[in-house]
């Protein structure tokens, strides 16, 4: 298998997640709360035997002390963090939220999906384990 095929194969789970999001958006359209899209995606992905965690808690630490604050990640699907939005436009704050989750969990892949407009928006991100930099993923 050549490098491009191998690269695209690693992105296959994100293609599947995007396809499910498109199916949910086609049925529900825009205008619902994030939780409705989240529940529908969880149902469809679990039906296809994907491992899905909804509103997964992410504790916050200072040094080795767990603080009395935590975050909740919308969906974690097969080790991919998926942050859902239902807003007219996503912005840098939404991307930073996903990036922070990826950094705190050392997760390699993350997705930002917005159901809030007439067209579904989906962006894929990869965290480099060596440099800890995050880049937008492009298909080759």
């Amino acid at each position: 298998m050549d490098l491009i095929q191998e690269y695209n194969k690693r992105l296959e789970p994100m293609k599947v997640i995007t396809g499910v999001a498109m199916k949910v958006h086609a049925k529900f359209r825009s205008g619902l709360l994030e939780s409705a899209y989240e529940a529908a995606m969880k149902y469809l992905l679990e039906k296809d035997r994907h491992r899905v965690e909804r509103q997964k808690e992410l504790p916050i630490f200072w040094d080795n002390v767990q603080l009395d604050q935590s975050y909740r990640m919308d969906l974690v699907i097969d080790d991919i963090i998926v942050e859902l939005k239902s807003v007219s436009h996503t912005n840098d704050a939404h991307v930073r939220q996903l990036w922070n989750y990826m950094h705190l969990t050392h997760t390699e892949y993350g997705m930002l999906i917005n159901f809030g407009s007439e067209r579904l928006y989906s962006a894929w991100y990869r965290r480099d384990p060596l440099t800890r930099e995050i880049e937008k993923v492009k298909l080759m």
Side-chain angles (χ1 to χ4, degrees):
M1 183 180 312
D2 71 7
L3 288 175
I4 293 175
Q5 287 176 321
E6 186 177 319
Y7 178 81
N8 285 334
K9 184 176 180 177
R10 284 196 326 235
L11 300 180
E12 192 60 36
M14 289 191 281
K15 292 178 188 176
V16 169
I17 294 167
T18 300
V20 169
M22 291 172 73
K23 185 183 285 189
V24 170
H25 189 265
K27 185 168 187 86
F28 285 169
R29 296 287 176 203
S30 61
L32 300 179
L33 295 175
E34 286 175 24
S35 56
Y37 303 112
E38 193 178 289
M41 286 191 64
K42 182 179 190 308
Y43 168 74
L44 292 172
L45 287 160
E46 283 182 339
K47 200 168 100 171
D48 286 340
R49 299 182 188 226
H50 290 274
R51 189 183 46 184
V52 181
E53 296 175 272
R54 184 175 175 203
Q55 291 297 310
K56 182 175 182 178
E57 186 173 8
L58 174 58
I60 303 300
F61 291 86
W62 185 268
D63 294 329
N64 292 326
V65 177
Q66 184 173 345
L67 304 177
D68 63 350
Q69 172 66 39
S70 62
Y71 291 104
R72 296 204 175 270
M73 297 179 284
D74 292 336
L75 294 170
V76 179
I77 304 164
D78 300 330
D79 298 321
I80 298 170
I81 297 173
V82 180
E83 183 60 29
L84 302 182
K85 297 297 174 197
S86 183
V87 294
S88 59
H89 296 90
T90 58
N91 60 38
D92 288 344
H94 300 127
V95 175
R96 279 193 304 274
Q97 179 183 12
L98 173 63
W99 287 6
N100 284 325
Y101 292 165
M102 291 170 70
H103 278 299
L104 290 169
T105 60
H106 307 285
T107 300
E108 187 174 7
Y109 290 103
M111 297 178 67
L112 177 61
I113 300 174
N114 183 22
F115 290 93
S117 62
E118 288 303 310
R119 293 183 56 164
L120 180 81
Y121 171 82
S122 175
W124 308 349
Y125 297 91
R126 179 182 177 271
R127 178 184 175 273
D128 187 312
L130 298 176
T131 65
R132 294 189 216 139
E133 294 294 319
I134 295 181
E135 63 188 8
K136 202 167 187 179
V137 174
K138 297 175 179 71
L139 288 178
M140 294 184 167

